[in-house]
Amino acid sequence: MSAEGSDTEELDDSEVVEVLDAASAGEAGMQHIADLTKKEPEGVTSVVPADDGWLVDVELVEDRRIPSSGDMLALYRVEMDMEGTLLSYRRIRRYRRSNADFGEA
């Protein structure tokens, strides 16, 4: 594993591909959401290996309110390939911070 948190796989004599580990995939997913939404992510809530890639869930504040318990949060799912290239993303949930608990531990 290299210092950047990724492995390299040699495909043939001339091509080397950087493969992300889970921590690097989380960072890449968070950066994709920040770039696409122009909003500051709160953090990564899950990183799951998928067929030939990663699924990363990222939470962010979509609308700040006073008091902060009224903030509108959103959970986005990012699908990336093994190298961190964005394949798709979508908002999977939107909720008020005070109602954030939805049964997951």
Side-chain angles (χ1 to χ4, degrees):
M1 184 174 324
S2 68
E4 292 83 34
S6 60
D7 291 330
T8 58
E9 286 186 5
E10 196 167 318
L11 298 179
D12 59 31
D13 292 336
S14 63
E15 190 174 354
V16 175
V17 175
E18 294 283 329
V19 178
L20 297 179
D21 62 12
S24 297
E27 291 282 333
M30 198 163 57
Q31 187 61 52
H32 285 307
I33 290 300
D35 292 344
L36 290 164
T37 64
K38 306 298 185 220
K39 296 184 185 289
E40 178 95 22
E42 292 281 298
V44 173
T45 62
S46 74
V47 178
V48 179
D51 296 334
D52 300 322
W54 296 98
L55 294 176
V56 179
D57 290 348
V58 178
E59 185 178 60
L60 61 82
V61 177
E62 286 201 329
D63 188 25
R64 294 210 181 267
R65 307 264 172 94
I66 297 175
S68 63
S69 61
D71 288 351
M72 291 304 296
L73 304 178
L75 189 63
Y76 284 83
R77 176 155 300 148
V78 178
E79 181 182 358
M80 300 179 298
D81 65 15
M82 292 303 286
E83 295 83 38
T85 302
L86 179 68
L87 301 175
S88 69
Y89 84 103
R90 66 186 175 110
R91 185 173 65 195
I92 58 174
R93 187 164 186 270
R94 190 165 192 252
Y95 50 95
R96 192 174 309 278
R97 186 183 297 273
S98 60
N99 297 338
D101 185 20
F102 52 94
E104 291 184 15

